[in-house]
Amino acid sequence: VDASAPAKKGLPPALVAGGTAALAAGLALAVVLLTSEGQREPARAPAPAPASPSAPRIEQARWRVEARTAGRAGELSRPERRRLRGQRPRVGALVRELYDALFLRPGGARDAVRKALAPAAARSLLRMRRLGAPEAAERVRTLVRRARVAIEGPRGLRAVASVWVKARGRLRGRPFTLTHRATLWLERSGRAWRVIAYDVEQRPL
Amino acid sequence: MLRRALLLALLLALVATVVPLVGRAHLRARPRVLGGRVHASFHPREGRLFVLVIGNDARAGNPDASRADAIHIVGLDTRTMRGGILNFPRDSWVSIPGHGSGRINEALYRGGPPLLARTVETITGIRLDYWVMTGFEGFRGLIRRIGGVRFKLHRDIFDPTGSGARLRAGAQHLDAKESLAFVRTRHSFPRGDVDRTTNQARFMLALLRKLRAEVKRDAATLFRWIAAGREHTRLDMTPEDTFRLAVLATQVRPSDVGNVTVPVSVGSVGGASVVFISPSASSIYRRFRTTGRL
C-alpha cells in the first residue's frame, strides 16, 4: 500500500496511516480466521464411510416444511408478521435436526432429543425405546419428510409442528418400513425454541 | 348558523365515538369467563392437577351475587394422562367455612369462587390448583365460537318451562342455545339435579372430544381455541400456563376420564329440599386426591 499517494491528494496523513493500519489488521485477521478454519476441519467427526466401496449414496426424501401463523393471524401488524416470519426457519431447523438424528443418525439421537426438547419431555421421549430408526438399522432411506409448522401470533412464543416421516431400511438383513407422525408443541425463550410436549405415533413401534 | 351546525356535528361525532367505547369498556369489565389460581403458589403434587369448574346462574356477565348451578372438580394425573370429573349437586348441604352450613351453591354467593373453592377443599381434602367460572352468556358465547358440539342424548328432553330444552334422543349437533338448555335441564330427569350435574360432566367430555378431533385434524386449531377463549375470558394465570393446560387437555382421552357424581340422599332442612352427601363419598375423595383419577 502506497501510503504517500492519497496524502498527495490532500487527505490528512493521520487518516491515511490509520486506514493503512486498519487494512493491515483486517488482512491479518482474515489470515488468522482462515488458518483456524483450516485447523478446525480435521477435528470434525469424520463423514460416515460407505459400507463398501461400491455402495451408492442413499438418496433421502427432500424436507418439505410449511410454516404459517396461527391464532389471531388476521389482526397482526406488519412488524408482528415480520417477527413471526423470522421465527419460521428456527422452528423448521429444530424439527429437521431432531428428525434427521432420529432416522439417519440413531447413535446421536439422544443428544439431539436433549437439545431439542425440554428436560421433562426429553426424559419421557427417551423412554420410548423404538423411536425413529433402530440403531442397528442399515441403508435407511427416508421416503417422506414433511412438517407443518404453525406459530402463534402476535408474539411468536408458542408453536406447533405436525411431522410426518416415512422411512425404509434393513434390520439384520430384513427390510422394514416405518411411518411416523408426531405433533410437537413448542415454546420459545429468547431465540431458542424447545419442544415442551409431544404426541407421537409410529408404526410399527 | 354555520358555527351552530358545526358544533352540533362535533357533538354528534363525540357521542358516536364515546358511546361504543363505553359499551366496550363495560364488556371488558365483565368478561364472560373468569379463572384464577386457588392458592398464590402453584405446586402440582406429583403430577396431579385439580381445577374447580363453576357454572353460575347469572344470565349476563359474572356478577358477584350469583349462585353456582354447576360445580365440578376436574382432576388429571399428568403422568398417566388419566383423570376424572367429580360432580357436586348444587343443593348439597355442606359446611361453608365461616358461614355455618348451607347449600353448596350459596358459597359462591357469599364469597365468590375463592370461598366455593375453600368449601370444596374442606369437603374433599383435595387441594385445588385453579378455578374457572362462567355464566349463561359466557357459556353460550364459547359454544358459539367453537361451532357447537356433537352430542348423544339418551332420551328426549322436553322442558319448555324450565331450561327451554326441546331435544330429541340420539346423536346430534347442539348449537349454543341447545347446549345451554341441555346443561340446565333437570326436570326431564328422574333424579333431577343429580342427573343434571352428571350430564354437565358428559357435556364437558364432549367438548374434550371435539377439541381432540379438531387438533388431530389440524394442530394449530388449539391456538384458535385459546384465542377464542381469551377474547372473553379473564384468567389469573400466565399465557404459558394456559398454553400448557390446553396442550395437556389435547392429550387426554375422554375414555380415560371418569365421570362420578358424589353419592347423595334426598332430605330437607327447615322445609327446604336439599341433598346430603353420603359418608361413602369419602373413599371417592381419597382415591381422587391420591391418584387424580376416578
Side-chain angles (χ1 to χ4, degrees), chain B residues 90 118 147 171 205 222 235 245 247:
Chain B
R90 67 163 189 186
R118 240 185 311 143
L205 292 172
L222 186 70
L235 293 175
L245 283 175
V247 169

Side-chain angles (χ1 to χ4, degrees), chain A residues 175-198:
Chain A
F176 68 85
T177 305
L178 291 176
T179 308
H180 175 109
R181 282 177 193 274
T183 305
L184 309 177
W185 301 99
L186 301 104
E187 277 182 357
R188 178 168 70 87
S189 171
R191 291 167 71 93
W193 284 93
R194 282 208 142 179
V195 177
I196 58 138
Y198 62 84

Side-chain angles (χ1 to χ4, degrees), chain A residues 59-180:
Chain A
E59 193 79 17
Q60 302 297 342
R62 230 183 94 214
W63 263 110
R64 286 174 60 189
V65 181
E66 285 171 38
R68 66 199 161 113
T69 303
R72 294 164 43 219
E75 303 160 22
L76 299 177
S77 65
R78 198 173 287 179
E80 283 171 340
R81 262 180 271 154
R82 199 169 44 235
R83 200 184 311 141
L84 286 171
R85 269 201 302 273
Q87 294 301 331
R88 290 176 181 179
R90 291 186 189 147
V91 180
L94 179 141
V95 172
R96 282 197 304 268
E97 280 168 28
L98 176 64
Y99 275 85
D100 285 353
L102 284 173
F103 281 87
L104 304 177
R105 300 189 304 274
R110 295 185 80 82
D111 287 341
V113 167
R114 284 201 194 99
K115 191 178 158 199
L117 276 72
R123 273 197 302 277
S124 158
L125 192 75
L126 289 170
R127 275 200 291 272
M128 297 172 79
R129 280 192 202 155
R130 299 170 70 182
L131 197 69
E135 260 190 61
E138 294 168 336
R139 303 190 51 73
V140 176
R141 182 182 173 204
T142 49
L143 307 172
V144 177
R145 288 195 287 182
R146 274 185 209 165
R148 286 179 72 198
V149 174
I151 301 176
E152 188 193 29
R155 297 184 61 201
L157 291 170
R158 286 164 280 275
V160 60
S162 306
V163 187
W164 178 27
V165 177
K166 197 170 173 185
R168 271 192 200 140
R170 297 187 80 80
L171 183 64
R172 292 181 211 98
R174 298 178 69 177
F176 68 85
T177 305
L178 291 176
T179 308
H180 175 109

